[in-house]
Amino acid sequence: MGVDTGKVRIAVLGTGLMGGPMARNLLKAGFPVAVWNRTRAKADALSGEGAEVADTAAQAVADADFVISMLSDGPAVLEMVTAVCDGLRSGAVWIDMSSTKPSEARAQARLLAASGHAHLDAPVSGGTRGAQDASLAIMVGGEADVFARAEPVLRALGRPVHVGPSGSGQLAKLANQGIVAVTIGAVAEAMLLLQKGGADPAAVRAALKGGFADSTILQQHGERMTTGNFVPGGLSKFQLKDLRNVMAEAEGLGLSLPMIEDVTARFQTFCDLLDGAEKDHSGLYLELLHRNGTET
Amino acid sequence: MGVDTGKVRIAVLGTGLMGGPMARNLLKAGFPVAVWNRTRAKADALSGEGAEVADTAAQAVADADFVISMLSDGPAVLEMVTAVCDGLRSGAVWIDMSSTKPSEARAQARLLAASGHAHLDAPVSGGTRGAQDASLAIMVGGEADVFARAEPVLRALGRPVHVGPSGSGQLAKLANQGIVAVTIGAVAEAMLLLQKGGADPAAVRAALKGGFADSTILQQHGERMTTGNFVPGGLSKFQLKDLRNVMAEAEGLGLSLPMIEDVTARFQTFCDLLDGAEKDHSGLYLELLHRNGTET
């Protein structure tokens, strides 16, 4: 990957909790980086580290070989692409690292293709810690040759893997979120069974370490459940938003996914009726307790 | 744990796929071991390695400080305890490492207590490989001081963890099996979503490695699903048996465990109607395909 980082210009659109540390890691890797953020103060914080702070998104992208967007949702990204795509330089690649629907990722790609530009959807997993440590899991959809060109840039942010054509990165993120939600539900039932049956859940989690039932969810979320710590972490309202996107995608593909459908309904109950929206997603345990007519 | 292994006598009842290699590891650790098996040939195989092969279970346990049973199910263990408990030496500890219902484990303990003997329920996870490598996860229920006495013996077989009072070891095993089954269901839905949505499931599994959605089930069972390899491994009929035990225990405790209940019904469909009983438990993917009216 012998890329001359000093000559590859990058624009980062959206320098919030995730985009900010990502821009910082690109600067550390030696890339010239132009940044733009709706609330300019968050972008200004990066100027001391060598970023060029642009007044407008159009200015930020004008000289960029790669545009990285890290915005709130799919509609925000589509609006941004629409606004600035005519001002991109020839050969520029747009890498959207926001979490969107796969269909929105494909719409971005079509819009950019129409003005002669390439696109990758590259959502991430790993949270703010992963963004800071440059250890993000990066799931990338798009053309293989475009991925190959972008890989040295993405390596400055974490571990990129090409997972298929346009939209596949977002599909992988949805698969990730579906597994996480159902596993939380499974661990909740196991923890309740152990507590009501008189075993020590912490000792059982230790006993199961490294086995088939083990996961970060068992160890971390399981501990949250049995100690009653639902301070986020991962907000339940975001988990619900992601699950609704899984359901929309499954419906579009004509698929029945019964466990994810069930857990979506239960996260909806938890958020809407049990005051769970702002609690950690391990709080699905509280929905299970409620369903069992018990509080502890 | 300075125990003089040469002076602690152990009887192993049941030297099949699991009990055989476990007896071998006890011999390797320096314990004198008497073995008994219903089909004597399986016990005879251990005589070359120093085991004393007994003609009857009663003979095997007569001099034992620790009796380890590894039999087919709870009723078989209870029958064995009933048959030989009067012939145990004073101070002997019975460690049942078979998989039984928690209520059956507590019945064993009561029966042994009536004749003045201690009992631990200590089911394992890790399969024949774990039994051979002495790397079993061992979930132990019973009195703490009995566990402390038995720990040096159990360490010759794997990693023992005391998880609570009598029956808790079996409860932990049930929690393990419930998590495994539901996680298989979650991974099945994720793999189907990825395949139908046009992403590369193997690449996605690689991308998710180490993250919140990751597990041995995602990596191993996920690969089985997308490559169509359902040669066991872990038989679906045993997974179903374990899930029925979880349901029985939950009912006894008055608990509603919706995900485990749902996956139990689906494993029943898979075993009874879709010819799945002898297939690997990752074959729940085939039930999901069937439900979706598709074959691949």
Side-chain angles (χ1 to χ4, degrees), chain B residues 79-95:
Chain B
E79 189 184 341
M80 179 62 73
V81 170
T82 305
V84 305
C85 68
D86 287 339
L88 294 174
R89 58 181 289 182
S90 171
V93 175
W94 191 300
I95 308 172

Side-chain angles (χ1 to χ4, degrees), chain A:
Chain A
M1 304 292 163
V3 65
D4 185 348
T5 56
K7 290 189 175 162
V8 176
R9 302 185 61 85
I10 300 175
V12 177
L13 306 180
T15 56
L17 283 174
M18 295 294 291
M22 288 162 65
R24 202 165 279 124
N25 284 324
L26 290 166
L27 289 164
K28 274 189 207 158
F31 294 105
V33 179
V35 295
W36 171 87
N37 196 68
R38 194 176 299 264
T39 308
R40 188 181 163 123
K42 290 184 188 168
D44 283 338
L46 293 160
S47 71
E49 299 173 59
E52 177 194 333
V53 182
D55 289 326
T56 66
Q59 276 178 22
V61 305
D63 290 327
D65 299 297
F66 293 91
V67 176
I68 291 177
S69 49
M70 196 57 168
L71 303 171
S72 57
D73 56 19
V77 179
L78 213 55
E79 188 184 341
M80 179 61 72
V81 170
T82 305
V84 304
C85 68
D86 287 340
L88 295 174
R89 58 182 289 182
S90 172
V93 175
W94 191 300
I95 308 172
D96 180 41
M97 304 188 74
S98 324
S99 286
T100 78
K101 294 180 182 175
S103 58
E104 292 167 333
R106 290 187 289 265
Q108 295 165 29
R110 279 194 301 273
L111 205 57
L112 284 156
S115 55
H117 302 291
H119 171 270
L120 298 170
D121 52 295
V124 302
S125 173
T128 53
R129 172 74 65 91
Q132 286 157 15
D133 299 348
S135 65
L136 293 166
I138 309 173
M139 298 153 268
V140 189
E143 305 278 343
D145 64 316
V146 179
F147 173 75
R149 281 158 62 199
E151 202 176 359
V153 175
L154 293 172
R155 283 206 184 281
L157 304 174
R159 200 167 55 84
V161 179
H162 184 226
V163 298
S166 185
S168 295
Q170 298 296 350
L171 194 70
K173 176 86 193 260
L174 293 184
N176 179 85
Q177 298 300 80
I179 292 172
V180 165
V182 175
T183 307
I184 286 174
V187 167
E189 294 184 13
M191 294 301 111
L192 183 60
L193 178 68
L194 292 169
Q195 290 193 307
K196 290 293 173 184
D200 175 354
V204 175
R205 288 193 297 268
L208 300 189
K209 206 166 265 183
F212 274 7
D214 196 23
S215 62
T216 306
I217 301 286
L218 174 65
Q219 299 299 334
Q220 292 185 13
H221 296 63
E223 182 177 15
R224 280 173 167 278
M225 292 171 195
T226 57
T227 59
N229 170 19
F230 303 110
V231 178
L235 283 170
S236 290
K237 67 181 180 186
F238 293 151
Q239 179 75 66
L240 177 57
K241 184 201 77 171
D242 291 338
L243 288 170
R244 284 181 174 141
N245 283 344
V246 181
M247 284 294 95
E249 187 68 15
E251 194 178 353
L253 294 167
L255 287 178
S256 161
L257 303 178
M259 285 184 173
I260 298 178
E261 188 174 333
D262 173 66
V263 84
T264 301
R266 290 174 56 198
F267 265 108
Q268 185 153 348
T269 299
F270 181 54
C271 288
D272 294 353
L273 303 178
L274 299 172
D275 200 26
E278 305 294 330
K279 295 197 172 87
D280 188 74
H281 54 172
S282 57
L284 186 67
Y285 184 66
L286 299 174
E287 188 273 347
L288 182 64
L289 291 184
H290 178 78
R291 172 185 288 255
N292 275 279
T294 177
E295 295 306 309
T296 55

Side-chain angles (χ1 to χ4, degrees), chain B residues 223-244:
Chain B
E223 181 177 16
R224 280 172 167 278
M225 293 171 194
T226 58
T227 59
N229 169 20
F230 304 110
V231 178
L235 283 170
S236 291
K237 68 180 179 187
F238 293 152
Q239 179 75 67
L240 177 58
K241 185 201 77 173
D242 291 339
L243 288 170
R244 283 181 176 142

Side-chain angles (χ1 to χ4, degrees), chain A residues 212, chain B residues 180 184 221 234-236 239 267 279-285:
Chain A
F212 274 7
Chain B
V180 165
I184 286 174
H221 296 64
L235 283 170
S236 291
Q239 179 75 67
F267 266 107
K279 294 198 172 87
D280 188 75
H281 54 171
S282 57
L284 186 66
Y285 185 64

Side-chain angles (χ1 to χ4, degrees), chain B residues 32-177:
Chain B
V33 179
V35 295
W36 172 86
N37 197 68
R38 195 176 299 263
T39 308
R40 187 180 164 126
K42 289 184 188 169
D44 282 338
L46 294 160
S47 70
E49 300 173 59
E52 178 193 331
V53 181
D55 289 326
T56 66
Q59 276 178 24
V61 306
D63 290 328
D65 300 297
F66 293 91
V67 177
I68 290 177
S69 49
M70 195 58 167
L71 303 172
S72 57
D73 56 20
V77 179
L78 212 55
E79 189 184 341
M80 179 62 73
V81 170
T82 305
V84 305
C85 68
D86 287 339
L88 294 174
R89 58 181 289 182
S90 171
V93 175
W94 191 300
I95 308 172
D96 180 40
M97 303 188 74
S98 324
S99 286
T100 77
K101 293 179 184 175
S103 59
E104 292 167 332
R106 290 187 288 266
Q108 295 166 29
R110 279 193 302 271
L111 205 57
L112 284 157
S115 56
H117 301 291
H119 171 271
L120 298 171
D121 51 296
V124 302
S125 174
T128 52
R129 171 75 64 90
Q132 286 157 15
D133 299 349
S135 65
L136 293 167
I138 309 173
M139 298 153 268
V140 190
E143 305 279 343
D145 64 317
V146 179
F147 173 75
R149 282 159 61 200
E151 202 176 0
V153 175
L154 294 173
R155 283 204 184 282
L157 305 173
R159 200 166 55 83
V161 179
H162 184 226
V163 298
S166 185
S168 295
Q170 298 297 351
L171 194 69
K173 177 87 194 259
L174 293 184
N176 179 84
Q177 297 302 77

